[in-house]
Amino acid sequence: MFESFPYKLLAAFLFIVGFLFSKTGLNAVRAQTTEVRFSLIILLQTQDLQDFSWVTTLEKSSHLRVTLAVSPDQFYQFNSTRAMVLDLVQKEKCELALRLSGDPPLPLIGNQDLARIYLPEGTILPNAHIDWSQELTGTIQRAKNRFHSYWGKFPEGFVPGGGSLSLPNAEMLQEQGFIWTAASFPPVEWSAGQRLMIAGKSGTRLWIFNADPLSAGFHQPITAKGGTRNTNSAATLKNILNQIEISTGMPSELVLDLAHSPNPLNVVLEELDKLMRLKKGVKMSLMREMVPAQGEENSSDSSQVWPYSWSWITGMGNPSGPGLLSWIGDAKKNLAWEILHQTRLDIETFQNSGKADIENLDRAMDEFHAAQSTLYLEWMGRPSAGAVLEREVLQKQKENEMYFKATLANVYRHMRQIIPAHLKGPMLSNLSLKSSQEKARISTLDFSVPESSVTAVISTGTVERADDPGFIKLSSSALAWTAADWQRTAEEKKNVAIKYFTIELIDESADSGWVEFGFKLNNEPTKPVALDLYIDINHRSGAGGRILLPGRKGFVSSRDGWEYVLSCKFNPGQGWDANLFREINSRSIYRSHSYKSSKSGGKDKEANKIYFAVPRQIIGSLAFQWGYLACLARNEDAQITDLLTPAPNIEELIKRMQSSSINDLEQSELVIPMMRMEVN
């Protein structure tokens, strides 16, 4: 009896161990092997395309897989990293999706009368009848074609502006062949993880995903103090991942909207990479992998495609968001829609005039579409009663209103028409909108054909025959700086170089006028180049930046420290674009196209003539008293190839800059003086 006891004891022990393992150990193993999937859709912004260190972060990480939503106006900024991004796509670390330039609110552009049923009763809408649904279809199709031309394939996914989508919008996307879209819907209509499938007559399917409410953790309201970046992203990301990890296993579709994020993209990705290394039960997926396979559909057929907005968008004004009220309903927002409507009527008049060429018309339409930006409309409106806004927030609101008007002003420049008064005055005024039927006004700074205006008569020879370098006062409102002192060899003349630089004050007597900066190059560029204009507005030691943009191995003196830099980029077939920055790696405060450069058959006409107008309310009005430094640089390595500066021996200075491997402020031979005009 006792001889068998050890065996019975062993059997009992093994039974207990087996029981515990079956109840706990096996479950633990199951818990470790069951992965929760989530996707991350990133809405890129201009400032995050100035620093591509995030591309390297994605390349090195074995845990990060993201979906990048890009718009056609951002494509050219990928020129230096396009091959790297396509390599990430090939390695399935990245997926590219389409957005429209400006992120317009599709339901309000398609048909505002139809959108009325989704607004609270009593909401006041603009008087103008806006139904651009047919035009919207063409806009998306052209954007798809541009996507294919640049990236080599058509996009599978589409992200609507502001996360706002209506059923007609969704049906249009399905007809155009998209397989997924991500938007946001009222919480009472859609719960987290809910999705809807729309099938077409041909059998093609579009999956509509609802952005996970956890996405709100990435963002902050636009009225937050200063929109400060570099907040504690690690704690925020950790909380989001913890919530995903303890979810029921339903995949999550997160959205990172960098226009509303307090952190730059690279900071978010670096922190996310660190956390993902520790999260064994969480896996990142691309959005196309979230689309259910045939036969595995789990569609919420009862869900309504109710147009809304990203949950973190509230907007200025009364009423405000989230929802469609983020962009309409407030008196100021409604006025913006009235202005858009009037501009569209003026475009139609120009289009039917018999004088419109297709290239200028296309450029005018591009600017018109960019002005429909959800971000511009979001910032418009008076604050709610009793609300106290920070000074920086009010300034940001003023800047976005100015961007809106400046973008529409470019429409009239491309049509060679006088800019209407309602795009010059304050937005709060009671405007009487009138169609612009005045004769086209060509800039007085056209060097090929002398033109006259009420402000100046510019003669080509005035600049061309200058014997000495420096500023030439062309009139009371225009001046130029010539590079006549640099006698180039025959070989050097084949290269692209700056011939002269001009400044003109437009609408000089008006507070809402413009400062126009112009350049002429000796040759038309045949490949991508960059042209920087550094501006010192105070000539005060220690008051501005000394270091030039990344890759440019040069500096200005402490007394010449710059407060603004106009960063211009040329791409063959696309012309010139410019962004105005206050400091390196900051957000662009103004963006513009050169309205003198046009394209034909893939070749730019007069691409050596460049003109950008910046609102004086943004940059100031004492342009003749400022200091300037112009640098021409290669796009591939950012090395400076030409300078417009009073420095002697410019050729030798450039050679030293190109051969230098140390960026040192103490290297006096790399300090470049600025151009200045002595004001009597």
Side-chain angles (χ1 to χ4, degrees), residues 99-109 136 139 158-164 327 337 369-375 377:
R99 295 155 59 202
L100 292 183
S101 301
D103 278 335
L106 302 190
L108 296 179
I109 290 172
L136 181 58
T139 300
F158 180 89
V159 182
S164 189
W327 312 298
W337 284 107
H369 292 144
Q372 299 166 10
S373 167
T374 49
L375 195 60
L377 294 165

PDB file of all heavy atoms in Angstrom, residues 99-109 136 139 158-164 327 337 369-375 377:
ATOM      1  N   ARG A  99      -4.939  62.642 -50.392  1.00  0.00           N
ATOM      2  CA  ARG A  99      -5.776  63.724 -49.874  1.00  0.00           C
ATOM      3  C   ARG A  99      -5.846  64.790 -50.950  1.00  0.00           C
ATOM      4  O   ARG A  99      -5.003  64.828 -51.843  1.00  0.00           O
ATOM      5  CB  ARG A  99      -5.160  64.365 -48.623  1.00  0.00           C
ATOM      6  CG  ARG A  99      -5.057  63.487 -47.431  1.00  0.00           C
ATOM      7  CD  ARG A  99      -3.943  63.955 -46.504  1.00  0.00           C
ATOM      8  NE  ARG A  99      -4.123  65.314 -46.019  1.00  0.00           N
ATOM      9  CZ  ARG A  99      -3.110  66.076 -45.554  1.00  0.00           C
ATOM     10  NH1 ARG A  99      -1.872  65.613 -45.553  1.00  0.00           N
ATOM     11  NH2 ARG A  99      -3.341  67.279 -45.107  1.00  0.00           N
ATOM     12  N   LEU A 100      -6.815  65.673 -50.861  1.00  0.00           N
ATOM     13  CA  LEU A 100      -6.864  66.815 -51.765  1.00  0.00           C
ATOM     14  C   LEU A 100      -6.064  67.967 -51.171  1.00  0.00           C
ATOM     15  O   LEU A 100      -5.972  68.116 -49.949  1.00  0.00           O
ATOM     16  CB  LEU A 100      -8.307  67.263 -52.003  1.00  0.00           C
ATOM     17  CG  LEU A 100      -9.203  66.307 -52.786  1.00  0.00           C
ATOM     18  CD1 LEU A 100     -10.573  66.939 -52.999  1.00  0.00           C
ATOM     19  CD2 LEU A 100      -8.577  65.921 -54.123  1.00  0.00           C
ATOM     20  N   SER A 101      -5.492  68.775 -52.021  1.00  0.00           N
ATOM     21  CA  SER A 101      -4.756  69.954 -51.564  1.00  0.00           C
ATOM     22  C   SER A 101      -5.687  70.864 -50.765  1.00  0.00           C
ATOM     23  O   SER A 101      -6.785  71.191 -51.215  1.00  0.00           O
ATOM     24  CB  SER A 101      -4.184  70.717 -52.763  1.00  0.00           C
ATOM     25  OG  SER A 101      -3.319  69.890 -53.522  1.00  0.00           O
ATOM     26  N   GLY A 102      -5.255  71.262 -49.587  1.00  0.00           N
ATOM     27  CA  GLY A 102      -6.052  72.135 -48.741  1.00  0.00           C
ATOM     28  C   GLY A 102      -7.029  71.400 -47.842  1.00  0.00           C
ATOM     29  O   GLY A 102      -7.624  72.000 -46.961  1.00  0.00           O
ATOM     30  N   ASP A 103      -7.245  70.105 -48.073  1.00  0.00           N
ATOM     31  CA  ASP A 103      -8.193  69.322 -47.264  1.00  0.00           C
ATOM     32  C   ASP A 103      -9.572  69.981 -47.214  1.00  0.00           C
ATOM     33  O   ASP A 103     -10.089  70.303 -46.136  1.00  0.00           O
ATOM     34  CB  ASP A 103      -7.675  69.140 -45.835  1.00  0.00           C
ATOM     35  CG  ASP A 103      -6.672  68.011 -45.728  1.00  0.00           C
ATOM     36  OD1 ASP A 103      -6.722  67.105 -46.575  1.00  0.00           O
ATOM     37  OD2 ASP A 103      -5.850  68.036 -44.810  1.00  0.00           O
ATOM     38  N   PRO A 104     -10.224  70.210 -48.341  1.00  0.00           N
ATOM     39  CA  PRO A 104     -11.548  70.860 -48.320  1.00  0.00           C
ATOM     40  C   PRO A 104     -12.606  69.973 -47.678  1.00  0.00           C
ATOM     41  O   PRO A 104     -12.529  68.742 -47.761  1.00  0.00           O
ATOM     42  CB  PRO A 104     -11.847  71.087 -49.811  1.00  0.00           C
ATOM     43  CG  PRO A 104     -11.075  70.006 -50.504  1.00  0.00           C
ATOM     44  CD  PRO A 104      -9.815  69.833 -49.715  1.00  0.00           C
ATOM     45  N   PRO A 105     -13.631  70.564 -47.056  1.00  0.00           N
ATOM     46  CA  PRO A 105     -14.731  69.778 -46.472  1.00  0.00           C
ATOM     47  C   PRO A 105     -15.683  69.314 -47.570  1.00  0.00           C
ATOM     48  O   PRO A 105     -16.556  70.067 -48.021  1.00  0.00           O
ATOM     49  CB  PRO A 105     -15.399  70.771 -45.523  1.00  0.00           C
ATOM     50  CG  PRO A 105     -15.112  72.123 -46.116  1.00  0.00           C
ATOM     51  CD  PRO A 105     -13.789  72.007 -46.809  1.00  0.00           C
ATOM     52  N   LEU A 106     -15.559  68.097 -48.000  1.00  0.00           N
ATOM     53  CA  LEU A 106     -16.283  67.600 -49.181  1.00  0.00           C
ATOM     54  C   LEU A 106     -17.797  67.784 -49.107  1.00  0.00           C
ATOM     55  O   LEU A 106     -18.411  68.192 -50.095  1.00  0.00           O
ATOM     56  CB  LEU A 106     -15.953  66.123 -49.424  1.00  0.00           C
ATOM     57  CG  LEU A 106     -14.469  65.765 -49.626  1.00  0.00           C
ATOM     58  CD1 LEU A 106     -14.352  64.317 -50.086  1.00  0.00           C
ATOM     59  CD2 LEU A 106     -13.802  66.692 -50.627  1.00  0.00           C
ATOM     60  N   PRO A 107     -18.475  67.482 -47.968  1.00  0.00           N
ATOM     61  CA  PRO A 107     -19.936  67.631 -47.950  1.00  0.00           C
ATOM     62  C   PRO A 107     -20.399  69.064 -48.201  1.00  0.00           C
ATOM     63  O   PRO A 107     -21.478  69.280 -48.764  1.00  0.00           O
ATOM     64  CB  PRO A 107     -20.320  67.169 -46.537  1.00  0.00           C
ATOM     65  CG  PRO A 107     -19.215  66.264 -46.123  1.00  0.00           C
ATOM     66  CD  PRO A 107     -17.982  66.867 -46.716  1.00  0.00           C
ATOM     67  N   LEU A 108     -19.600  70.051 -47.786  1.00  0.00           N
ATOM     68  CA  LEU A 108     -19.995  71.452 -47.971  1.00  0.00           C
ATOM     69  C   LEU A 108     -19.668  71.955 -49.366  1.00  0.00           C
ATOM     70  O   LEU A 108     -20.257  72.932 -49.831  1.00  0.00           O
ATOM     71  CB  LEU A 108     -19.304  72.327 -46.920  1.00  0.00           C
ATOM     72  CG  LEU A 108     -19.691  72.038 -45.468  1.00  0.00           C
ATOM     73  CD1 LEU A 108     -18.930  72.942 -44.509  1.00  0.00           C
ATOM     74  CD2 LEU A 108     -21.197  72.206 -45.260  1.00  0.00           C
ATOM     75  N   ILE A 109     -18.733  71.309 -50.037  1.00  0.00           N
ATOM     76  CA  ILE A 109     -18.392  71.689 -51.404  1.00  0.00           C
ATOM     77  C   ILE A 109     -19.324  70.990 -52.388  1.00  0.00           C
ATOM     78  O   ILE A 109     -19.733  71.554 -53.394  1.00  0.00           O
ATOM     79  CB  ILE A 109     -16.926  71.326 -51.702  1.00  0.00           C
ATOM     80  CG1 ILE A 109     -16.002  72.246 -50.913  1.00  0.00           C
ATOM     81  CG2 ILE A 109     -16.615  71.421 -53.187  1.00  0.00           C
ATOM     82  CD1 ILE A 109     -14.562  71.870 -50.981  1.00  0.00           C
ATOM     83  N   LEU A 136     -16.082  68.601 -58.166  1.00  0.00           N
ATOM     84  CA  LEU A 136     -15.350  67.822 -57.170  1.00  0.00           C
ATOM     85  C   LEU A 136     -14.930  66.471 -57.737  1.00  0.00           C
ATOM     86  O   LEU A 136     -13.818  65.993 -57.478  1.00  0.00           O
ATOM     87  CB  LEU A 136     -16.211  67.636 -55.926  1.00  0.00           C
ATOM     88  CG  LEU A 136     -15.597  66.862 -54.755  1.00  0.00           C
ATOM     89  CD1 LEU A 136     -14.319  67.520 -54.281  1.00  0.00           C
ATOM     90  CD2 LEU A 136     -16.599  66.761 -53.609  1.00  0.00           C
ATOM     91  N   THR A 139     -11.936  67.055 -59.796  1.00  0.00           N
ATOM     92  CA  THR A 139     -10.788  67.413 -58.964  1.00  0.00           C
ATOM     93  C   THR A 139     -10.130  66.165 -58.383  1.00  0.00           C
ATOM     94  O   THR A 139      -8.900  66.038 -58.381  1.00  0.00           O
ATOM     95  CB  THR A 139     -11.231  68.340 -57.817  1.00  0.00           C
ATOM     96  OG1 THR A 139     -11.803  69.533 -58.373  1.00  0.00           O
ATOM     97  CG2 THR A 139     -10.048  68.718 -56.939  1.00  0.00           C
ATOM     98  N   PHE A 158      -8.234  56.960 -49.642  1.00  0.00           N
ATOM     99  CA  PHE A 158      -8.494  58.398 -49.727  1.00  0.00           C
ATOM    100  C   PHE A 158      -8.928  58.889 -48.350  1.00  0.00           C
ATOM    101  O   PHE A 158      -9.759  58.255 -47.692  1.00  0.00           O
ATOM    102  CB  PHE A 158      -9.595  58.694 -50.753  1.00  0.00           C
ATOM    103  CG  PHE A 158      -9.925  60.155 -50.903  1.00  0.00           C
ATOM    104  CD1 PHE A 158      -9.240  60.942 -51.813  1.00  0.00           C
ATOM    105  CD2 PHE A 158     -10.917  60.746 -50.121  1.00  0.00           C
ATOM    106  CE1 PHE A 158      -9.536  62.299 -51.946  1.00  0.00           C
ATOM    107  CE2 PHE A 158     -11.217  62.090 -50.251  1.00  0.00           C
ATOM    108  CZ  PHE A 158     -10.522  62.868 -51.158  1.00  0.00           C
ATOM    109  N   VAL A 159      -8.367  60.022 -47.911  1.00  0.00           N
ATOM    110  CA  VAL A 159      -8.730  60.611 -46.623  1.00  0.00           C
ATOM    111  C   VAL A 159      -9.375  61.968 -46.884  1.00  0.00           C
ATOM    112  O   VAL A 159      -8.719  62.883 -47.397  1.00  0.00           O
ATOM    113  CB  VAL A 159      -7.502  60.772 -45.706  1.00  0.00           C
ATOM    114  CG1 VAL A 159      -7.930  61.340 -44.354  1.00  0.00           C
ATOM    115  CG2 VAL A 159      -6.794  59.434 -45.517  1.00  0.00           C
ATOM    116  N   PRO A 160     -10.662  62.140 -46.566  1.00  0.00           N
ATOM    117  CA  PRO A 160     -11.354  63.415 -46.843  1.00  0.00           C
ATOM    118  C   PRO A 160     -10.922  64.511 -45.889  1.00  0.00           C
ATOM    119  O   PRO A 160     -10.534  64.244 -44.743  1.00  0.00           O
ATOM    120  CB  PRO A 160     -12.826  63.048 -46.646  1.00  0.00           C
ATOM    121  CG  PRO A 160     -12.806  61.934 -45.647  1.00  0.00           C
ATOM    122  CD  PRO A 160     -11.555  61.153 -45.939  1.00  0.00           C
ATOM    123  N   GLY A 161     -10.988  65.737 -46.358  1.00  0.00           N
ATOM    124  CA  GLY A 161     -10.604  66.885 -45.549  1.00  0.00           C
ATOM    125  C   GLY A 161     -11.395  66.982 -44.266  1.00  0.00           C
ATOM    126  O   GLY A 161     -12.614  66.923 -44.270  1.00  0.00           O
ATOM    127  N   GLY A 162     -10.676  67.154 -43.142  1.00  0.00           N
ATOM    128  CA  GLY A 162     -11.326  67.298 -41.846  1.00  0.00           C
ATOM    129  C   GLY A 162     -12.039  66.054 -41.371  1.00  0.00           C
ATOM    130  O   GLY A 162     -12.778  66.097 -40.387  1.00  0.00           O
ATOM    131  N   GLY A 163     -11.846  64.914 -42.084  1.00  0.00           N
ATOM    132  CA  GLY A 163     -12.533  63.682 -41.710  1.00  0.00           C
ATOM    133  C   GLY A 163     -14.019  63.713 -41.986  1.00  0.00           C
ATOM    134  O   GLY A 163     -14.780  62.943 -41.402  1.00  0.00           O
ATOM    135  N   SER A 164     -14.452  64.582 -42.900  1.00  0.00           N
ATOM    136  CA  SER A 164     -15.877  64.770 -43.161  1.00  0.00           C
ATOM    137  C   SER A 164     -16.274  64.087 -44.464  1.00  0.00           C
ATOM    138  O   SER A 164     -15.692  64.359 -45.524  1.00  0.00           O
ATOM    139  CB  SER A 164     -16.203  66.269 -43.231  1.00  0.00           C
ATOM    140  OG  SER A 164     -17.589  66.481 -43.270  1.00  0.00           O
ATOM    141  N   TRP A 327     -16.826  74.621 -39.895  1.00  0.00           N
ATOM    142  CA  TRP A 327     -16.465  75.330 -41.120  1.00  0.00           C
ATOM    143  C   TRP A 327     -17.599  76.176 -41.698  1.00  0.00           C
ATOM    144  O   TRP A 327     -17.405  76.807 -42.746  1.00  0.00           O
ATOM    145  CB  TRP A 327     -16.035  74.310 -42.184  1.00  0.00           C
ATOM    146  CG  TRP A 327     -15.049  73.315 -41.663  1.00  0.00           C
ATOM    147  CD1 TRP A 327     -13.800  73.579 -41.173  1.00  0.00           C
ATOM    148  CD2 TRP A 327     -15.211  71.894 -41.580  1.00  0.00           C
ATOM    149  NE1 TRP A 327     -13.180  72.420 -40.787  1.00  0.00           N
ATOM    150  CE2 TRP A 327     -14.022  71.363 -41.018  1.00  0.00           C
ATOM    151  CE3 TRP A 327     -16.236  71.014 -41.921  1.00  0.00           C
ATOM    152  CZ2 TRP A 327     -13.842  70.000 -40.793  1.00  0.00           C
ATOM    153  CZ3 TRP A 327     -16.059  69.656 -41.705  1.00  0.00           C
ATOM    154  CH2 TRP A 327     -14.875  69.163 -41.150  1.00  0.00           C
ATOM    155  N   TRP A 337     -17.424  81.738 -47.407  1.00  0.00           N
ATOM    156  CA  TRP A 337     -18.080  80.958 -48.461  1.00  0.00           C
ATOM    157  C   TRP A 337     -18.648  81.869 -49.552  1.00  0.00           C
ATOM    158  O   TRP A 337     -18.605  81.530 -50.745  1.00  0.00           O
ATOM    159  CB  TRP A 337     -19.194  80.093 -47.870  1.00  0.00           C
ATOM    160  CG  TRP A 337     -18.688  78.880 -47.151  1.00  0.00           C
ATOM    161  CD1 TRP A 337     -18.658  78.667 -45.801  1.00  0.00           C
ATOM    162  CD2 TRP A 337     -18.122  77.708 -47.747  1.00  0.00           C
ATOM    163  NE1 TRP A 337     -18.115  77.445 -45.516  1.00  0.00           N
ATOM    164  CE2 TRP A 337     -17.782  76.821 -46.696  1.00  0.00           C
ATOM    165  CE3 TRP A 337     -17.882  77.312 -49.061  1.00  0.00           C
ATOM    166  CZ2 TRP A 337     -17.202  75.576 -46.923  1.00  0.00           C
ATOM    167  CZ3 TRP A 337     -17.305  76.063 -49.296  1.00  0.00           C
ATOM    168  CH2 TRP A 337     -16.972  75.212 -48.234  1.00  0.00           C
ATOM    169  N   HIS A 369      -9.028  75.916 -55.324  1.00  0.00           N
ATOM    170  CA  HIS A 369      -9.247  74.708 -54.534  1.00  0.00           C
ATOM    171  C   HIS A 369      -8.465  74.760 -53.226  1.00  0.00           C
ATOM    172  O   HIS A 369      -8.955  74.318 -52.181  1.00  0.00           O
ATOM    173  CB  HIS A 369      -8.840  73.469 -55.340  1.00  0.00           C
ATOM    174  CG  HIS A 369      -9.726  73.204 -56.510  1.00  0.00           C
ATOM    175  ND1 HIS A 369      -9.268  72.700 -57.709  1.00  0.00           N
ATOM    176  CD2 HIS A 369     -11.058  73.404 -56.687  1.00  0.00           C
ATOM    177  CE1 HIS A 369     -10.277  72.585 -58.551  1.00  0.00           C
ATOM    178  NE2 HIS A 369     -11.369  73.006 -57.958  1.00  0.00           N
ATOM    179  N   ALA A 370      -7.246  75.314 -53.277  1.00  0.00           N
ATOM    180  CA  ALA A 370      -6.442  75.420 -52.053  1.00  0.00           C
ATOM    181  C   ALA A 370      -7.099  76.344 -51.034  1.00  0.00           C
ATOM    182  O   ALA A 370      -6.952  76.157 -49.823  1.00  0.00           O
ATOM    183  CB  ALA A 370      -5.037  75.915 -52.393  1.00  0.00           C
ATOM    184  N   ALA A 371      -7.837  77.346 -51.503  1.00  0.00           N
ATOM    185  CA  ALA A 371      -8.494  78.297 -50.593  1.00  0.00           C
ATOM    186  C   ALA A 371      -9.674  77.676 -49.859  1.00  0.00           C
ATOM    187  O   ALA A 371     -10.151  78.244 -48.869  1.00  0.00           O
ATOM    188  CB  ALA A 371      -8.955  79.530 -51.372  1.00  0.00           C
ATOM    189  N   GLN A 372     -10.157  76.522 -50.313  1.00  0.00           N
ATOM    190  CA  GLN A 372     -11.281  75.851 -49.659  1.00  0.00           C
ATOM    191  C   GLN A 372     -10.826  75.038 -48.447  1.00  0.00           C
ATOM    192  O   GLN A 372     -11.543  74.174 -47.959  1.00  0.00           O
ATOM    193  CB  GLN A 372     -11.989  74.937 -50.664  1.00  0.00           C
ATOM    194  CG  GLN A 372     -12.568  75.677 -51.852  1.00  0.00           C
ATOM    195  CD  GLN A 372     -12.965  74.739 -52.978  1.00  0.00           C
ATOM    196  OE1 GLN A 372     -12.987  73.522 -52.825  1.00  0.00           O
ATOM    197  NE2 GLN A 372     -13.268  75.305 -54.143  1.00  0.00           N
ATOM    198  N   SER A 373      -9.669  75.344 -47.950  1.00  0.00           N
ATOM    199  CA  SER A 373      -9.034  74.586 -46.871  1.00  0.00           C
ATOM    200  C   SER A 373      -9.885  74.540 -45.598  1.00  0.00           C
ATOM    201  O   SER A 373     -10.392  75.564 -45.135  1.00  0.00           O
ATOM    202  CB  SER A 373      -7.669  75.209 -46.544  1.00  0.00           C
ATOM    203  OG  SER A 373      -7.155  74.717 -45.328  1.00  0.00           O
ATOM    204  N   THR A 374     -10.019  73.343 -45.025  1.00  0.00           N
ATOM    205  CA  THR A 374     -10.719  73.207 -43.741  1.00  0.00           C
ATOM    206  C   THR A 374     -10.000  73.990 -42.651  1.00  0.00           C
ATOM    207  O   THR A 374     -10.634  74.509 -41.732  1.00  0.00           O
ATOM    208  CB  THR A 374     -10.805  71.728 -43.332  1.00  0.00           C
ATOM    209  OG1 THR A 374      -9.515  71.127 -43.450  1.00  0.00           O
ATOM    210  CG2 THR A 374     -11.799  70.968 -44.180  1.00  0.00           C
ATOM    211  N   LEU A 375      -8.666  74.082 -42.744  1.00  0.00           N
ATOM    212  CA  LEU A 375      -7.908  74.789 -41.708  1.00  0.00           C
ATOM    213  C   LEU A 375      -8.200  76.282 -41.747  1.00  0.00           C
ATOM    214  O   LEU A 375      -8.378  76.925 -40.701  1.00  0.00           O
ATOM    215  CB  LEU A 375      -6.407  74.536 -41.877  1.00  0.00           C
ATOM    216  CG  LEU A 375      -5.525  74.902 -40.683  1.00  0.00           C
ATOM    217  CD1 LEU A 375      -5.922  74.114 -39.449  1.00  0.00           C
ATOM    218  CD2 LEU A 375      -4.061  74.683 -41.003  1.00  0.00           C
ATOM    219  N   LEU A 377     -10.954  77.752 -42.872  1.00  0.00           N
ATOM    220  CA  LEU A 377     -12.333  77.954 -42.409  1.00  0.00           C
ATOM    221  C   LEU A 377     -12.463  77.701 -40.915  1.00  0.00           C
ATOM    222  O   LEU A 377     -13.255  78.355 -40.235  1.00  0.00           O
ATOM    223  CB  LEU A 377     -13.270  77.035 -43.193  1.00  0.00           C
ATOM    224  CG  LEU A 377     -13.390  77.339 -44.699  1.00  0.00           C
ATOM    225  CD1 LEU A 377     -14.042  76.179 -45.424  1.00  0.00           C
ATOM    226  CD2 LEU A 377     -14.176  78.622 -44.921  1.00  0.00           C
TER     227      LEU A 377
END
